[in-house]
Amino acid sequence: MKDTVTIVTGGSQGIGRSIAEFLAAKGGDVVIFDIADSSDIVQYIRQKGQRSEFYQIDVSNFNMVGEAVDKVIKDMGRVSNLVNNAGITADKLLLRMKEEDWDRVLQINLKSAFNCTKAVVRYMLKTGGSIVNISSIAGVMGNAGQANYAASKAGLIGFTKSVAREYGERGIRVNAVAPGFIKTRMTESLDEKSRETMFKAIPLGRLGEPDDIAHVVYFLLSEYGSYITGEVINVNGGLYM
Ligand code: NAD
């Protein structure tokens, strides 16, 4: 990752934080876009010897994202990679789901990827680049109680393949990673019974760690993934195969 600058959205905690730390450990500079304070991780990355910046923005806001990407170019000199990771859930069965639950999840999980990708591709046209969108097993299989979330994550897969087709010849690769159940704040609310049922359904018999996702994202962003574009990599312990 030497001499690369990667923007990671939602990098203040969970999977995004793991991705940011792992890319920095591999020698890359990292910029975090998050609505929550991420100064501690920026300090951590700087102490490890890499450059790092944090912009506190809502990635579903088109104008804020455009301005933040311009600042990245000014401060860091380039943008080599983008990881669209920020996401939320607002789970309810369809009949109980409010219009605002639908809109908020689609805005933050899907529109944010449009905002960030459009803003970085302008620069990547000259330099090439690599983009990874964090989808979900729910976007591949569907999940009761997550019609909004699954639609946003399936939308990310269509988005990934379309942008990969549009800009492949300009040296821009676009891929998606579809995590299964990973140990983060998003899954800690699962009760004991749901956890047990889950473990039985996962051939590898455990929840994933955030690093399990970070390693695959690194692979896709790095030279090791240089002939892969428009792909969706499932990282789920075999829950879906
Ligand atoms: P998390 O809740 O721990 O972290 C999400 C991050 O996104 C937080 O730092 C949060 O502040 C940030 N964020 C939320 N809204 C934002 C906004 N509007 N603007 C900027 N930042 C915002 O979640 P996680 O489990 O680490 O999930 C990361 C990604 O992985 C999400 O897209 C999620 O859908 C996906 N995913 C997670 C799992 C899992 O089991 N944890 C499974 C499949 C997919």
Side-chain angles (χ1 to χ4, degrees):
M1 300 305 289
K2 204 170 167 298
D3 295 329
T4 62
V5 174
T6 303
I7 297 173
V8 180
T9 73
S12 85
Q13 60 172 42
I15 293 172
R17 184 178 185 121
S18 253
I19 293 169
E21 287 181 1
F22 194 68
L23 296 179
K26 291 289 181 187
D29 297 334
V30 179
V31 177
I32 292 174
F33 288 178
D34 203 302
I35 205 159
D37 184 22
S38 309
S39 4
D40 61 331
I41 170 170
V42 164
Q43 289 309 327
Y44 174 85
I45 291 174
R46 287 180 182 164
Q47 275 163 16
K48 299 271 170 193
Q50 297 308 130
R51 292 188 301 158
S52 188
E53 296 289 340
F54 157 56
Y55 301 109
Q56 190 154 19
I57 57 163
D58 176 349
V59 285
S60 68
N61 182 310
F62 183 81
N63 291 333
M64 270 187 176
V65 167
E67 282 164 23
V69 170
D70 289 345
K71 268 197 215 143
V72 172
I73 300 294
K74 213 163 143 240
D75 294 348
M76 311 289 277
R78 67 173 73 96
V79 56
S80 328
N81 307 305
L82 165 69
V83 183
N84 284 310
N85 163 80
I88 59 162
T89 53
D91 299 351
K92 282 185 190 86
L93 294 173
L94 180 69
L95 290 181
R96 291 196 191 135
M97 192 174 283
K98 298 198 182 96
E99 185 184 5
E100 70 209 44
D101 296 325
W102 176 271
D103 288 346
R104 202 158 58 89
V105 168
L106 269 289
Q107 288 270 332
I108 294 176
N109 295 6
L110 184 56
K111 189 184 171 213
S112 65
F114 164 75
N115 293 344
C116 295
T117 305
K118 190 170 157 73
V120 301
V121 161
R122 275 186 297 151
Y123 293 101
M124 288 180 176
L125 285 177
K126 293 185 205 117
T127 57
S130 181
I131 299 171
V132 173
N133 297 316
I134 305 298
S135 176
S136 168
I137 191 171
V140 181
M141 295 176 67
N143 195 21
Q146 291 197 311
N148 51 357
Y149 182 78
S152 72
K153 295 299 184 178
L156 273 179
I157 293 174
F159 179 72
T160 299
K161 294 185 179 188
S162 302
V163 182
R165 285 184 188 278
E166 284 182 28
Y167 297 107
E169 65 180 16
R170 307 300 288 261
I172 303 173
R173 296 183 298 105
V174 192
N175 291 289
V177 172
F181 286 85
I182 310 299
K183 273 191 225 157
T184 68
R185 193 180 60 176
M186 202 175 258
T187 48
E188 74 189 8
S189 57
L190 280 178
D191 58 53
E192 219 25 65
K193 199 163 163 251
S194 315
R195 252 167 220 280
E196 259 179 45
T197 318
M198 187 77 66
F199 286 162
K200 281 192 192 132
I202 300 172
L204 292 184
R206 65 169 177 91
L207 294 189
E209 299 291 337
D211 273 353
D212 292 324
I213 306 304
H215 297 161
V216 177
V217 171
Y218 164 68
F219 166 76
L220 286 170
L221 294 180
S222 73
E223 278 307 297
Y224 296 119
S226 62
Y227 199 51
I228 303 177
T229 197
E231 194 52 75
V232 183
I233 313 266
N234 292 299
V235 185
N236 57 39
L239 181 58
Y240 171 79
M241 56 175 83

